[in-house]
Amino acid sequence: EAGVAQSPRYKIIEKRQSVAFWCNPISGHATLYWYQQILGQGPKLLIQFQNNGVVDDSQLPKDRFSAERLKGVDSTLKIQPAKLEDSAVYLCASSYYLEQFFGPGTRLTVL
Amino acid sequence: DAKTTQPNSMESNEEEPVHLPCNHSTISGTDYIHWYRQLPSQGPEYVIHGLTSNVNNRMASLAIAEDRKSSTLILHRATLRDAAVYYCILSITTGANSKLTFGKGITLSVRP
């Protein structure tokens, strides 16, 4: 069974630039999550999708972050414009039931 | 959200059992107890979850106190590959899916 795929694996940008991350969940998983993990901390949930609808985006900084999940499969997370404090690993996860499967993450460095 | 308390770190010897404690005194009746682990430079990995009864799987065992205010993750024979950050999480369930709120976890070191 293929796992959760994410790209790119690494991204370096300057502040005020835009960046987008892509996630392909495990086939058949209706729920998709985006997390932000700052160095030394546990992952923080940014947004949760059920199929192509948003279930929870209470911790998503909506003035600069946006996410979509077209057709209930792949998802993209965008940051525009980026700030220095957005430097983190962005993790995508998917689930069918209670167990969440995580991708390898995208490490973002904002200079 | 109900919170968990874990020690910051723990050391163990290879091939010995490891008991990782977790306190969750404000757990509600419908909260599941999840354990995930994160190896260096990887995404978190599911280990085990339970509600009231003790649980066993190929990776570990989960012992849940009778009052559910604490639990222990048991690795029966630690290997070097088990060195990771282990997160004890109480999930808020909405239907078939759960919302996980990660804390800082406990860093497990394994000595050869």
Side-chain angles (χ1 to χ4, degrees), chain A residues 31 33 35 37 41-43 45 50 56 91 95-100 102-103, chain B residues 32 34 36 38 41 43-44 46 49 87 93 96-100 102-104:
Chain A
T31 309
Y33 311 80
Y35 290 85
Q37 185 170 25
Q41 300 181 17
L45 179 68
Q50 179 77 16
D56 183 350
L91 295 158
S95 69
Y96 173 73
Y97 191 51
L98 293 180
E99 178 181 347
Q100 293 188 21
F102 285 79
Chain B
Y32 281 81
H34 294 252
Y36 281 74
Q38 189 170 22
S41 301
Y46 168 83
H49 77 272
Y87 298 97
T93 57
N97 295 291
S98 60
K99 174 182 174 181
L100 302 179
F102 287 81
K104 289 191 173 182

PDB file of all heavy atoms in Angstrom, chain A residues 31 33 35 37 41-43 45 50 56 91 95-100 102-103, chain B residues 32 34 36 38 41 43-44 46 49 87 93 96-100 102-104:
ATOM      1  N   THR A  31     -10.464  11.467   4.940  1.00  0.00           N
ATOM      2  CA  THR A  31     -10.049  12.591   5.774  1.00  0.00           C
ATOM      3  C   THR A  31      -8.593  12.935   5.532  1.00  0.00           C
ATOM      4  O   THR A  31      -7.738  12.046   5.480  1.00  0.00           O
ATOM      5  CB  THR A  31     -10.265  12.274   7.262  1.00  0.00           C
ATOM      6  OG1 THR A  31     -11.600  11.806   7.449  1.00  0.00           O
ATOM      7  CG2 THR A  31     -10.067  13.518   8.115  1.00  0.00           C
ATOM      8  N   TYR A  33      -5.448  15.833   6.597  1.00  0.00           N
ATOM      9  CA  TYR A  33      -5.029  16.828   7.584  1.00  0.00           C
ATOM     10  C   TYR A  33      -3.731  17.508   7.115  1.00  0.00           C
ATOM     11  O   TYR A  33      -2.858  16.855   6.543  1.00  0.00           O
ATOM     12  CB  TYR A  33      -4.722  16.166   8.932  1.00  0.00           C
ATOM     13  CG  TYR A  33      -5.767  15.204   9.465  1.00  0.00           C
ATOM     14  CD1 TYR A  33      -5.850  13.904   8.988  1.00  0.00           C
ATOM     15  CD2 TYR A  33      -6.638  15.585  10.483  1.00  0.00           C
ATOM     16  CE1 TYR A  33      -6.785  13.011   9.490  1.00  0.00           C
ATOM     17  CE2 TYR A  33      -7.576  14.694  11.002  1.00  0.00           C
ATOM     18  CZ  TYR A  33      -7.632  13.405  10.493  1.00  0.00           C
ATOM     19  OH  TYR A  33      -8.561  12.517  11.009  1.00  0.00           O
ATOM     20  N   TYR A  35      -0.634  19.634   9.028  1.00  0.00           N
ATOM     21  CA  TYR A  35      -0.051  20.034  10.307  1.00  0.00           C
ATOM     22  C   TYR A  35       1.175  20.906  10.052  1.00  0.00           C
ATOM     23  O   TYR A  35       1.874  20.755   9.048  1.00  0.00           O
ATOM     24  CB  TYR A  35       0.416  18.813  11.102  1.00  0.00           C
ATOM     25  CG  TYR A  35      -0.666  17.920  11.651  1.00  0.00           C
ATOM     26  CD1 TYR A  35      -1.238  16.911  10.872  1.00  0.00           C
ATOM     27  CD2 TYR A  35      -1.105  18.050  12.967  1.00  0.00           C
ATOM     28  CE1 TYR A  35      -2.210  16.060  11.389  1.00  0.00           C
ATOM     29  CE2 TYR A  35      -2.078  17.205  13.495  1.00  0.00           C
ATOM     30  CZ  TYR A  35      -2.621  16.217  12.692  1.00  0.00           C
ATOM     31  OH  TYR A  35      -3.580  15.376  13.219  1.00  0.00           O
ATOM     32  N   GLN A  37       4.794  21.742  12.011  1.00  0.00           N
ATOM     33  CA  GLN A  37       5.647  21.342  13.120  1.00  0.00           C
ATOM     34  C   GLN A  37       6.876  22.242  13.174  1.00  0.00           C
ATOM     35  O   GLN A  37       7.770  22.142  12.326  1.00  0.00           O
ATOM     36  CB  GLN A  37       6.065  19.881  13.019  1.00  0.00           C
ATOM     37  CG  GLN A  37       6.852  19.409  14.234  1.00  0.00           C
ATOM     38  CD  GLN A  37       7.079  17.911  14.269  1.00  0.00           C
ATOM     39  OE1 GLN A  37       7.073  17.248  13.238  1.00  0.00           O
ATOM     40  NE2 GLN A  37       7.267  17.358  15.458  1.00  0.00           N
ATOM     41  N   GLN A  41       8.883  21.169  18.726  1.00  0.00           N
ATOM     42  CA  GLN A  41       7.494  21.083  19.173  1.00  0.00           C
ATOM     43  C   GLN A  41       6.780  19.930  18.480  1.00  0.00           C
ATOM     44  O   GLN A  41       7.253  19.387  17.485  1.00  0.00           O
ATOM     45  CB  GLN A  41       6.765  22.396  18.874  1.00  0.00           C
ATOM     46  CG  GLN A  41       7.357  23.611  19.559  1.00  0.00           C
ATOM     47  CD  GLN A  41       6.580  24.873  19.247  1.00  0.00           C
ATOM     48  OE1 GLN A  41       5.442  24.828  18.782  1.00  0.00           O
ATOM     49  NE2 GLN A  41       7.196  26.012  19.524  1.00  0.00           N
ATOM     50  N   GLY A  42       5.632  19.561  19.035  1.00  0.00           N
ATOM     51  CA  GLY A  42       4.805  18.575  18.370  1.00  0.00           C
ATOM     52  C   GLY A  42       4.039  19.204  17.219  1.00  0.00           C
ATOM     53  O   GLY A  42       3.917  20.424  17.135  1.00  0.00           O
ATOM     54  N   PRO A  43       3.527  18.389  16.304  1.00  0.00           N
ATOM     55  CA  PRO A  43       2.746  18.932  15.183  1.00  0.00           C
ATOM     56  C   PRO A  43       1.493  19.651  15.670  1.00  0.00           C
ATOM     57  O   PRO A  43       0.866  19.230  16.634  1.00  0.00           O
ATOM     58  CB  PRO A  43       2.381  17.681  14.380  1.00  0.00           C
ATOM     59  CG  PRO A  43       3.395  16.660  14.764  1.00  0.00           C
ATOM     60  CD  PRO A  43       3.714  16.940  16.180  1.00  0.00           C
ATOM     61  N   LEU A  45      -2.246  21.007  14.300  1.00  0.00           N
ATOM     62  CA  LEU A  45      -3.213  20.882  13.218  1.00  0.00           C
ATOM     63  C   LEU A  45      -3.554  22.251  12.650  1.00  0.00           C
ATOM     64  O   LEU A  45      -3.913  23.175  13.378  1.00  0.00           O
ATOM     65  CB  LEU A  45      -4.487  20.205  13.715  1.00  0.00           C
ATOM     66  CG  LEU A  45      -5.600  20.041  12.681  1.00  0.00           C
ATOM     67  CD1 LEU A  45      -5.191  19.048  11.600  1.00  0.00           C
ATOM     68  CD2 LEU A  45      -6.902  19.599  13.349  1.00  0.00           C
ATOM     69  N   GLN A  50     -12.800  16.653   5.242  1.00  0.00           N
ATOM     70  CA  GLN A  50     -13.545  15.408   5.098  1.00  0.00           C
ATOM     71  C   GLN A  50     -14.049  15.418   3.658  1.00  0.00           C
ATOM     72  O   GLN A  50     -14.889  16.230   3.287  1.00  0.00           O
ATOM     73  CB  GLN A  50     -14.723  15.340   6.080  1.00  0.00           C
ATOM     74  CG  GLN A  50     -15.554  14.082   5.984  1.00  0.00           C
ATOM     75  CD  GLN A  50     -14.877  12.898   6.635  1.00  0.00           C
ATOM     76  OE1 GLN A  50     -13.943  13.055   7.405  1.00  0.00           O
ATOM     77  NE2 GLN A  50     -15.345  11.704   6.330  1.00  0.00           N
ATOM     78  N   ASP A  56     -12.354  21.426  10.081  1.00  0.00           N
ATOM     79  CA  ASP A  56     -11.776  22.263  11.133  1.00  0.00           C
ATOM     80  C   ASP A  56     -10.635  23.064  10.541  1.00  0.00           C
ATOM     81  O   ASP A  56      -9.688  22.491  10.030  1.00  0.00           O
ATOM     82  CB  ASP A  56     -11.285  21.394  12.287  1.00  0.00           C
ATOM     83  CG  ASP A  56     -10.743  22.186  13.465  1.00  0.00           C
ATOM     84  OD1 ASP A  56     -10.563  23.414  13.359  1.00  0.00           O
ATOM     85  OD2 ASP A  56     -10.491  21.567  14.523  1.00  0.00           O
ATOM     86  N   LEU A  91       3.367  18.883   7.503  1.00  0.00           N
ATOM     87  CA  LEU A  91       3.031  17.463   7.405  1.00  0.00           C
ATOM     88  C   LEU A  91       1.604  17.299   6.906  1.00  0.00           C
ATOM     89  O   LEU A  91       0.693  17.993   7.346  1.00  0.00           O
ATOM     90  CB  LEU A  91       3.147  16.798   8.777  1.00  0.00           C
ATOM     91  CG  LEU A  91       4.539  16.747   9.400  1.00  0.00           C
ATOM     92  CD1 LEU A  91       4.440  16.570  10.898  1.00  0.00           C
ATOM     93  CD2 LEU A  91       5.346  15.607   8.790  1.00  0.00           C
ATOM     94  N   SER A  95      -6.586   9.693   6.873  1.00  0.00           N
ATOM     95  CA  SER A  95      -7.132   8.620   7.697  1.00  0.00           C
ATOM     96  C   SER A  95      -8.413   8.083   7.086  1.00  0.00           C
ATOM     97  O   SER A  95      -9.151   8.801   6.393  1.00  0.00           O
ATOM     98  CB  SER A  95      -7.389   9.088   9.130  1.00  0.00           C
ATOM     99  OG  SER A  95      -8.453  10.015   9.175  1.00  0.00           O
ATOM    100  N   TYR A  96      -8.655   6.793   7.359  1.00  0.00           N
ATOM    101  CA  TYR A  96      -9.922   6.165   7.002  1.00  0.00           C
ATOM    102  C   TYR A  96     -10.800   6.055   8.240  1.00  0.00           C
ATOM    103  O   TYR A  96     -11.985   6.290   8.188  1.00  0.00           O
ATOM    104  CB  TYR A  96      -9.677   4.772   6.416  1.00  0.00           C
ATOM    105  CG  TYR A  96     -10.938   3.990   6.182  1.00  0.00           C
ATOM    106  CD1 TYR A  96     -11.791   4.314   5.134  1.00  0.00           C
ATOM    107  CD2 TYR A  96     -11.290   2.921   7.017  1.00  0.00           C
ATOM    108  CE1 TYR A  96     -12.962   3.608   4.918  1.00  0.00           C
ATOM    109  CE2 TYR A  96     -12.458   2.220   6.801  1.00  0.00           C
ATOM    110  CZ  TYR A  96     -13.295   2.556   5.759  1.00  0.00           C
ATOM    111  OH  TYR A  96     -14.453   1.857   5.551  1.00  0.00           O
ATOM    112  N   TYR A  97     -10.152   5.712   9.354  1.00  0.00           N
ATOM    113  CA  TYR A  97     -10.862   5.641  10.633  1.00  0.00           C
ATOM    114  C   TYR A  97     -10.046   6.426  11.654  1.00  0.00           C
ATOM    115  O   TYR A  97      -9.705   7.580  11.399  1.00  0.00           O
ATOM    116  CB  TYR A  97     -11.098   4.182  11.020  1.00  0.00           C
ATOM    117  CG  TYR A  97     -12.038   4.002  12.182  1.00  0.00           C
ATOM    118  CD1 TYR A  97     -13.291   4.614  12.217  1.00  0.00           C
ATOM    119  CD2 TYR A  97     -11.677   3.218  13.284  1.00  0.00           C
ATOM    120  CE1 TYR A  97     -14.140   4.467  13.287  1.00  0.00           C
ATOM    121  CE2 TYR A  97     -12.531   3.064  14.359  1.00  0.00           C
ATOM    122  CZ  TYR A  97     -13.754   3.691  14.362  1.00  0.00           C
ATOM    123  OH  TYR A  97     -14.594   3.541  15.445  1.00  0.00           O
ATOM    124  N   LEU A  98      -9.686   5.851  12.784  1.00  0.00           N
ATOM    125  CA  LEU A  98      -9.018   6.627  13.820  1.00  0.00           C
ATOM    126  C   LEU A  98      -7.524   6.815  13.588  1.00  0.00           C
ATOM    127  O   LEU A  98      -6.941   7.796  14.019  1.00  0.00           O
ATOM    128  CB  LEU A  98      -9.232   5.967  15.186  1.00  0.00           C
ATOM    129  CG  LEU A  98     -10.661   5.966  15.727  1.00  0.00           C
ATOM    130  CD1 LEU A  98     -10.719   5.281  17.085  1.00  0.00           C
ATOM    131  CD2 LEU A  98     -11.212   7.375  15.807  1.00  0.00           C
ATOM    132  N   GLU A  99      -6.897   5.869  12.904  1.00  0.00           N
ATOM    133  CA  GLU A  99      -5.447   5.917  12.729  1.00  0.00           C
ATOM    134  C   GLU A  99      -5.088   6.887  11.617  1.00  0.00           C
ATOM    135  O   GLU A  99      -5.620   6.790  10.500  1.00  0.00           O
ATOM    136  CB  GLU A  99      -4.917   4.529  12.398  1.00  0.00           C
ATOM    137  CG  GLU A  99      -3.429   4.463  12.150  1.00  0.00           C
ATOM    138  CD  GLU A  99      -2.970   3.063  11.796  1.00  0.00           C
ATOM    139  OE1 GLU A  99      -3.760   2.106  11.976  1.00  0.00           O
ATOM    140  OE2 GLU A  99      -1.821   2.918  11.321  1.00  0.00           O
ATOM    141  N   GLN A 100      -4.174   7.810  11.916  1.00  0.00           N
ATOM    142  CA  GLN A 100      -3.716   8.761  10.901  1.00  0.00           C
ATOM    143  C   GLN A 100      -2.371   8.296  10.354  1.00  0.00           C
ATOM    144  O   GLN A 100      -1.496   7.863  11.102  1.00  0.00           O
ATOM    145  CB  GLN A 100      -3.580  10.161  11.505  1.00  0.00           C
ATOM    146  CG  GLN A 100      -4.916  10.775  11.907  1.00  0.00           C
ATOM    147  CD  GLN A 100      -4.795  12.227  12.321  1.00  0.00           C
ATOM    148  OE1 GLN A 100      -3.840  12.918  11.972  1.00  0.00           O
ATOM    149  NE2 GLN A 100      -5.797  12.713  13.057  1.00  0.00           N
ATOM    150  N   PHE A 102       0.896   9.558   8.223  1.00  0.00           N
ATOM    151  CA  PHE A 102       1.577  10.800   7.905  1.00  0.00           C
ATOM    152  C   PHE A 102       2.533  10.632   6.730  1.00  0.00           C
ATOM    153  O   PHE A 102       3.158   9.576   6.547  1.00  0.00           O
ATOM    154  CB  PHE A 102       2.381  11.296   9.113  1.00  0.00           C
ATOM    155  CG  PHE A 102       1.534  11.887  10.202  1.00  0.00           C
ATOM    156  CD1 PHE A 102       0.852  11.073  11.091  1.00  0.00           C
ATOM    157  CD2 PHE A 102       1.422  13.265  10.338  1.00  0.00           C
ATOM    158  CE1 PHE A 102       0.066  11.617  12.100  1.00  0.00           C
ATOM    159  CE2 PHE A 102       0.648  13.817  11.342  1.00  0.00           C
ATOM    160  CZ  PHE A 102      -0.032  12.994  12.219  1.00  0.00           C
ATOM    161  N   GLY A 103       2.660  11.710   5.972  1.00  0.00           N
ATOM    162  CA  GLY A 103       3.667  11.765   4.933  1.00  0.00           C
ATOM    163  C   GLY A 103       5.001  12.197   5.526  1.00  0.00           C
ATOM    164  O   GLY A 103       5.099  12.475   6.721  1.00  0.00           O
TER     165      GLY A 103
ATOM    166  N   TYR B  32     -10.406   8.766  23.271  1.00  0.00           N
ATOM    167  CA  TYR B  32      -9.497   7.667  23.029  1.00  0.00           C
ATOM    168  C   TYR B  32      -8.078   8.101  23.424  1.00  0.00           C
ATOM    169  O   TYR B  32      -7.727   9.265  23.339  1.00  0.00           O
ATOM    170  CB  TYR B  32      -9.479   7.289  21.546  1.00  0.00           C
ATOM    171  CG  TYR B  32     -10.650   6.456  21.108  1.00  0.00           C
ATOM    172  CD1 TYR B  32     -11.882   7.041  20.808  1.00  0.00           C
ATOM    173  CD2 TYR B  32     -10.540   5.076  20.968  1.00  0.00           C
ATOM    174  CE1 TYR B  32     -12.959   6.272  20.402  1.00  0.00           C
ATOM    175  CE2 TYR B  32     -11.606   4.302  20.545  1.00  0.00           C
ATOM    176  CZ  TYR B  32     -12.812   4.915  20.281  1.00  0.00           C
ATOM    177  OH  TYR B  32     -13.878   4.150  19.876  1.00  0.00           O
ATOM    178  N   HIS B  34      -4.309   7.735  22.341  1.00  0.00           N
ATOM    179  CA  HIS B  34      -3.482   7.365  21.194  1.00  0.00           C
ATOM    180  C   HIS B  34      -2.022   7.522  21.551  1.00  0.00           C
ATOM    181  O   HIS B  34      -1.640   8.440  22.279  1.00  0.00           O
ATOM    182  CB  HIS B  34      -3.769   8.273  19.992  1.00  0.00           C
ATOM    183  CG  HIS B  34      -5.121   8.152  19.408  1.00  0.00           C
ATOM    184  ND1 HIS B  34      -5.361   7.556  18.184  1.00  0.00           N
ATOM    185  CD2 HIS B  34      -6.321   8.548  19.862  1.00  0.00           C
ATOM    186  CE1 HIS B  34      -6.648   7.606  17.912  1.00  0.00           C
ATOM    187  NE2 HIS B  34      -7.259   8.202  18.916  1.00  0.00           N
ATOM    188  N   TYR B  36       1.561   7.918  19.282  1.00  0.00           N
ATOM    189  CA  TYR B  36       2.283   8.015  18.030  1.00  0.00           C
ATOM    190  C   TYR B  36       3.757   8.191  18.370  1.00  0.00           C
ATOM    191  O   TYR B  36       4.106   8.657  19.461  1.00  0.00           O
ATOM    192  CB  TYR B  36       1.804   9.223  17.202  1.00  0.00           C
ATOM    193  CG  TYR B  36       0.510   8.993  16.464  1.00  0.00           C
ATOM    194  CD1 TYR B  36      -0.701   8.962  17.151  1.00  0.00           C
ATOM    195  CD2 TYR B  36       0.501   8.809  15.093  1.00  0.00           C
ATOM    196  CE1 TYR B  36      -1.901   8.747  16.475  1.00  0.00           C
ATOM    197  CE2 TYR B  36      -0.701   8.590  14.404  1.00  0.00           C
ATOM    198  CZ  TYR B  36      -1.881   8.560  15.116  1.00  0.00           C
ATOM    199  OH  TYR B  36      -3.062   8.338  14.442  1.00  0.00           O
ATOM    200  N   GLN B  38       7.653   9.541  16.572  1.00  0.00           N
ATOM    201  CA  GLN B  38       8.275  10.245  15.445  1.00  0.00           C
ATOM    202  C   GLN B  38       9.773  10.009  15.486  1.00  0.00           C
ATOM    203  O   GLN B  38      10.455  10.476  16.408  1.00  0.00           O
ATOM    204  CB  GLN B  38       7.953  11.740  15.510  1.00  0.00           C
ATOM    205  CG  GLN B  38       8.375  12.509  14.283  1.00  0.00           C
ATOM    206  CD  GLN B  38       7.819  13.924  14.267  1.00  0.00           C
ATOM    207  OE1 GLN B  38       7.473  14.489  15.290  1.00  0.00           O
ATOM    208  NE2 GLN B  38       7.738  14.519  13.068  1.00  0.00           N
ATOM    209  N   SER B  41      13.615  13.124  11.522  1.00  0.00           N
ATOM    210  CA  SER B  41      13.408  13.514  10.119  1.00  0.00           C
ATOM    211  C   SER B  41      12.292  12.742   9.421  1.00  0.00           C
ATOM    212  O   SER B  41      12.302  12.612   8.190  1.00  0.00           O
ATOM    213  CB  SER B  41      14.715  13.362   9.324  1.00  0.00           C
ATOM    214  OG  SER B  41      15.726  14.162   9.887  1.00  0.00           O
ATOM    215  N   GLY B  43       7.797  11.772   9.476  1.00  0.00           N
ATOM    216  CA  GLY B  43       6.497  12.127  10.015  1.00  0.00           C
ATOM    217  C   GLY B  43       6.121  11.191  11.149  1.00  0.00           C
ATOM    218  O   GLY B  43       6.687  10.100  11.273  1.00  0.00           O
ATOM    219  N   PRO B  44       5.185  11.598  11.994  1.00  0.00           N
ATOM    220  CA  PRO B  44       4.734  10.713  13.075  1.00  0.00           C
ATOM    221  C   PRO B  44       4.187   9.398  12.529  1.00  0.00           C
ATOM    222  O   PRO B  44       3.680   9.330  11.408  1.00  0.00           O
ATOM    223  CB  PRO B  44       3.634  11.529  13.764  1.00  0.00           C
ATOM    224  CG  PRO B  44       3.968  12.946  13.457  1.00  0.00           C
ATOM    225  CD  PRO B  44       4.538  12.912  12.070  1.00  0.00           C
ATOM    226  N   TYR B  46       1.786   5.976  13.694  1.00  0.00           N
ATOM    227  CA  TYR B  46       0.834   5.419  14.660  1.00  0.00           C
ATOM    228  C   TYR B  46       1.454   4.233  15.388  1.00  0.00           C
ATOM    229  O   TYR B  46       2.142   3.395  14.783  1.00  0.00           O
ATOM    230  CB  TYR B  46      -0.421   4.966  13.910  1.00  0.00           C
ATOM    231  CG  TYR B  46      -1.374   4.115  14.718  1.00  0.00           C
ATOM    232  CD1 TYR B  46      -2.302   4.704  15.571  1.00  0.00           C
ATOM    233  CD2 TYR B  46      -1.345   2.726  14.611  1.00  0.00           C
ATOM    234  CE1 TYR B  46      -3.181   3.919  16.297  1.00  0.00           C
ATOM    235  CE2 TYR B  46      -2.226   1.944  15.338  1.00  0.00           C
ATOM    236  CZ  TYR B  46      -3.137   2.541  16.184  1.00  0.00           C
ATOM    237  OH  TYR B  46      -3.998   1.762  16.907  1.00  0.00           O
ATOM    238  N   HIS B  49      -3.723   2.532  20.002  1.00  0.00           N
ATOM    239  CA  HIS B  49      -4.728   3.343  20.667  1.00  0.00           C
ATOM    240  C   HIS B  49      -5.668   2.448  21.454  1.00  0.00           C
ATOM    241  O   HIS B  49      -5.772   1.239  21.184  1.00  0.00           O
ATOM    242  CB  HIS B  49      -5.509   4.222  19.682  1.00  0.00           C
ATOM    243  CG  HIS B  49      -6.562   3.505  18.886  1.00  0.00           C
ATOM    244  ND1 HIS B  49      -6.300   2.879  17.692  1.00  0.00           N
ATOM    245  CD2 HIS B  49      -7.879   3.324  19.129  1.00  0.00           C
ATOM    246  CE1 HIS B  49      -7.405   2.346  17.210  1.00  0.00           C
ATOM    247  NE2 HIS B  49      -8.381   2.590  18.058  1.00  0.00           N
ATOM    248  N   TYR B  87       4.509  10.379  21.509  1.00  0.00           N
ATOM    249  CA  TYR B  87       3.436  11.294  21.889  1.00  0.00           C
ATOM    250  C   TYR B  87       2.238  10.508  22.420  1.00  0.00           C
ATOM    251  O   TYR B  87       1.755   9.579  21.767  1.00  0.00           O
ATOM    252  CB  TYR B  87       2.968  12.105  20.677  1.00  0.00           C
ATOM    253  CG  TYR B  87       4.001  12.988  20.042  1.00  0.00           C
ATOM    254  CD1 TYR B  87       4.709  12.578  18.923  1.00  0.00           C
ATOM    255  CD2 TYR B  87       4.252  14.263  20.548  1.00  0.00           C
ATOM    256  CE1 TYR B  87       5.645  13.399  18.322  1.00  0.00           C
ATOM    257  CE2 TYR B  87       5.192  15.100  19.958  1.00  0.00           C
ATOM    258  CZ  TYR B  87       5.880  14.659  18.845  1.00  0.00           C
ATOM    259  OH  TYR B  87       6.807  15.485  18.256  1.00  0.00           O
ATOM    260  N   THR B  93     -13.119  12.672  19.202  1.00  0.00           N
ATOM    261  CA  THR B  93     -13.667  11.927  18.074  1.00  0.00           C
ATOM    262  C   THR B  93     -14.904  12.614  17.523  1.00  0.00           C
ATOM    263  O   THR B  93     -15.773  13.051  18.272  1.00  0.00           O
ATOM    264  CB  THR B  93     -14.034  10.494  18.490  1.00  0.00           C
ATOM    265  OG1 THR B  93     -14.946  10.555  19.580  1.00  0.00           O
ATOM    266  CG2 THR B  93     -12.800   9.745  18.933  1.00  0.00           C
ATOM    267  N   ALA B  96     -16.215   9.033  12.615  1.00  0.00           N
ATOM    268  CA  ALA B  96     -15.196   7.999  12.427  1.00  0.00           C
ATOM    269  C   ALA B  96     -13.789   8.573  12.455  1.00  0.00           C
ATOM    270  O   ALA B  96     -12.830   7.834  12.323  1.00  0.00           O
ATOM    271  CB  ALA B  96     -15.423   7.282  11.107  1.00  0.00           C
ATOM    272  N   ASN B  97     -13.653   9.883  12.617  1.00  0.00           N
ATOM    273  CA  ASN B  97     -12.317  10.451  12.575  1.00  0.00           C
ATOM    274  C   ASN B  97     -12.005  11.189  13.864  1.00  0.00           C
ATOM    275  O   ASN B  97     -12.889  11.579  14.608  1.00  0.00           O
ATOM    276  CB  ASN B  97     -12.197  11.407  11.384  1.00  0.00           C
ATOM    277  CG  ASN B  97     -12.335  10.670  10.082  1.00  0.00           C
ATOM    278  OD1 ASN B  97     -11.480   9.903   9.709  1.00  0.00           O
ATOM    279  ND2 ASN B  97     -13.453  10.880   9.408  1.00  0.00           N
ATOM    280  N   SER B  98     -10.714  11.354  14.116  1.00  0.00           N
ATOM    281  CA  SER B  98     -10.312  11.957  15.377  1.00  0.00           C
ATOM    282  C   SER B  98      -9.414  13.157  15.129  1.00  0.00           C
ATOM    283  O   SER B  98      -8.674  13.209  14.167  1.00  0.00           O
ATOM    284  CB  SER B  98      -9.581  10.928  16.230  1.00  0.00           C
ATOM    285  OG  SER B  98      -8.441  10.453  15.566  1.00  0.00           O
ATOM    286  N   LYS B  99      -9.501  14.114  16.025  1.00  0.00           N
ATOM    287  CA  LYS B  99      -8.627  15.275  15.999  1.00  0.00           C
ATOM    288  C   LYS B  99      -7.548  15.057  17.039  1.00  0.00           C
ATOM    289  O   LYS B  99      -7.843  14.825  18.202  1.00  0.00           O
ATOM    290  CB  LYS B  99      -9.428  16.537  16.319  1.00  0.00           C
ATOM    291  CG  LYS B  99      -8.589  17.781  16.461  1.00  0.00           C
ATOM    292  CD  LYS B  99      -9.443  18.975  16.812  1.00  0.00           C
ATOM    293  CE  LYS B  99      -8.598  20.200  17.097  1.00  0.00           C
ATOM    294  NZ  LYS B  99      -9.423  21.367  17.455  1.00  0.00           N
ATOM    295  N   LEU B 100      -6.289  15.091  16.605  1.00  0.00           N
ATOM    296  CA  LEU B 100      -5.161  14.859  17.498  1.00  0.00           C
ATOM    297  C   LEU B 100      -4.508  16.178  17.866  1.00  0.00           C
ATOM    298  O   LEU B 100      -4.180  16.968  16.987  1.00  0.00           O
ATOM    299  CB  LEU B 100      -4.124  13.954  16.817  1.00  0.00           C
ATOM    300  CG  LEU B 100      -4.592  12.583  16.349  1.00  0.00           C
ATOM    301  CD1 LEU B 100      -3.451  11.842  15.669  1.00  0.00           C
ATOM    302  CD2 LEU B 100      -5.152  11.761  17.499  1.00  0.00           C
ATOM    303  N   PHE B 102      -1.174  17.300  19.548  1.00  0.00           N
ATOM    304  CA  PHE B 102       0.126  16.814  19.993  1.00  0.00           C
ATOM    305  C   PHE B 102       0.706  17.749  21.045  1.00  0.00           C
ATOM    306  O   PHE B 102       0.610  18.964  20.932  1.00  0.00           O
ATOM    307  CB  PHE B 102       1.100  16.754  18.810  1.00  0.00           C
ATOM    308  CG  PHE B 102       0.843  15.641  17.839  1.00  0.00           C
ATOM    309  CD1 PHE B 102      -0.134  15.764  16.864  1.00  0.00           C
ATOM    310  CD2 PHE B 102       1.605  14.487  17.866  1.00  0.00           C
ATOM    311  CE1 PHE B 102      -0.367  14.743  15.947  1.00  0.00           C
ATOM    312  CE2 PHE B 102       1.388  13.460  16.950  1.00  0.00           C
ATOM    313  CZ  PHE B 102       0.405  13.587  16.003  1.00  0.00           C
ATOM    314  N   GLY B 103       1.344  17.154  22.066  1.00  0.00           N
ATOM    315  CA  GLY B 103       2.154  17.919  22.996  1.00  0.00           C
ATOM    316  C   GLY B 103       3.610  17.820  22.560  1.00  0.00           C
ATOM    317  O   GLY B 103       3.893  17.625  21.373  1.00  0.00           O
ATOM    318  N   LYS B 104       4.524  17.937  23.515  1.00  0.00           N
ATOM    319  CA  LYS B 104       5.949  17.848  23.183  1.00  0.00           C
ATOM    320  C   LYS B 104       6.443  16.419  23.169  1.00  0.00           C
ATOM    321  O   LYS B 104       7.500  16.126  22.625  1.00  0.00           O
ATOM    322  CB  LYS B 104       6.783  18.679  24.158  1.00  0.00           C
ATOM    323  CG  LYS B 104       6.618  20.174  23.981  1.00  0.00           C
ATOM    324  CD  LYS B 104       7.655  20.930  24.787  1.00  0.00           C
ATOM    325  CE  LYS B 104       7.584  22.420  24.464  1.00  0.00           C
ATOM    326  NZ  LYS B 104       8.612  23.192  25.209  1.00  0.00           N
TER     327      LYS B 104
END
